[in-house]
Amino acid sequence: MAIPFLNVGTAIALWLLSTTYLSLHFQPLTPPALSPLTLSLLIFNNLNIFIALCEICLGVHILLIKQDYKRLREKYAGNEWGACIKFLTMPLTLSQLFDGKTWSKMWSTYALYDPSYQNHESFGFFIDFGNGLSTIPPSIMMNMAMVAPQKLSPLLVGTVGLAMYWQVMYGTIIYVLSYVFNKRYEGKSLVEVCLFVGVSNSLWFFFPIWGIYCCVGILRDGNMEVFQSS
């Protein structure tokens, strides 16, 4: 039985709220205030952790995604935006909430705009599956560095964080170039492509730039004060 008001969209919002609250809970009783930009980076890291879990589902359930994509393509031909709304408002039971097959639908829906995500031989598939497997621990570490900097080595945080943010930013750049070069936008409206492909991927371009800036500051100064001063 579906839980009232619980759907894919509200589940994502609850994840961001709960993980951000728990992250801030690790701060000392009288912590230095985090800057607004630092807080936004912490929220982005939590979003990245969530998407990384979904990216693991992409790799694990790729055959199911292929099948679901074919069904969605026939059902929503010319109305891909309707499929997106349907997915985001899909009611969830407690068991569905923790079922990887539920979140694999994210990729069969996204594949309506970029079919490479139902193709396990494509760059898009492997860069996201790889990010899912590799960016969760660094994201958690960066959050800990923001709220409890005394517990971590600035050298470790700066080097690992720099590598992670560069990895996801560079992967996003190459993915967008591949998307445009192969004209996967054809047959879709400009507004849909900008909203569903452009806006979503831009988060993994602009926030990593801010993360790289912070990591360079950490390595330069030998401390994590950049999170309070910026």
Side-chain angles (χ1 to χ4, degrees):
M1 180 178 177
I3 301 174
F5 305 109
L6 181 64
N7 55 42
V8 169
T10 58
I12 296 173
L14 287 172
W15 167 271
L16 292 176
L17 288 172
S18 60
T19 53
T20 301
Y21 173 81
L22 289 173
S23 298
L24 295 175
H25 179 72
F26 284 97
Q27 285 187 294
L29 293 177
T30 56
L34 294 180
S35 72
L37 281 174
T38 299
L39 182 59
S40 69
L41 184 62
L42 186 145
I43 295 172
F44 167 76
N45 288 341
N46 289 330
L47 175 62
N48 185 70
I49 292 169
F50 175 83
I51 296 300
L53 292 170
C54 294
E55 288 168 337
I56 293 173
C57 296
L58 169 66
V60 172
H61 298 294
I62 185 60
L63 296 181
L64 177 63
I65 291 168
K66 287 175 179 283
Q67 295 174 0
D68 195 43
Y69 163 73
K70 292 177 181 178
R71 180 184 64 83
L72 292 175
R73 185 179 58 181
E74 293 178 2
K75 183 176 181 180
Y76 291 99
N79 184 30
E80 289 79 7
W81 187 250
C84 301
I85 299 300
K86 183 70 173 180
F87 171 69
L88 289 172
T89 58
M90 181 176 69
L92 297 176
T93 64
L94 191 60
S95 62
Q96 288 174 323
L97 183 64
F98 297 99
D99 188 346
K101 293 179 181 179
T102 298
W103 300 104
S104 72
K105 293 180 181 295
M106 173 187 295
W107 305 109
S108 54
T109 303
Y110 187 83
L112 295 174
Y113 288 90
D114 185 356
S116 69
Y117 275 83
Q118 53 85 44
N119 178 8
H120 62 272
E121 297 179 352
S122 69
F123 174 83
F125 168 83
F126 268 105
I127 189 63
D128 275 9
F129 186 37
N131 284 343
L133 294 172
S134 62
T135 63
I136 294 176
S139 295
I140 295 173
M141 183 191 69
M142 291 303 302
N143 284 355
M144 288 298 297
M146 294 177 204
V147 300
Q150 71 282 0
K151 297 182 181 297
L152 295 168
S153 160
L155 180 61
L156 176 65
V157 171
T159 52
V160 174
L162 188 63
M164 178 192 71
Y165 288 124
W166 170 254
Q167 171 186 319
V168 297
M169 184 183 72
Y170 180 74
T172 299
I173 293 171
I174 298 302
Y175 166 71
V176 171
L177 289 175
S178 172
Y179 182 86
V180 174
F181 182 81
N182 290 291
K183 299 181 179 180
R184 298 189 187 120
Y185 52 81
E186 290 185 341
K188 310 293 188 301
S189 72
L190 179 61
V191 173
E192 285 183 286
V193 171
C194 289
L195 286 176
F196 201 65
V197 179
V199 172
S200 60
N201 283 283
S202 69
L203 298 177
W204 275 264
F205 175 77
F206 291 108
F207 279 104
I209 291 176
W210 172 236
I212 289 171
Y213 170 85
C214 290
C215 291
V216 170
I218 291 169
L219 293 173
R220 179 195 62 216
D221 302 333
N223 58 53
M224 259 81 86
E225 291 182 4
V226 67
F227 292 133
Q228 282 80 46
S229 60
S230 300

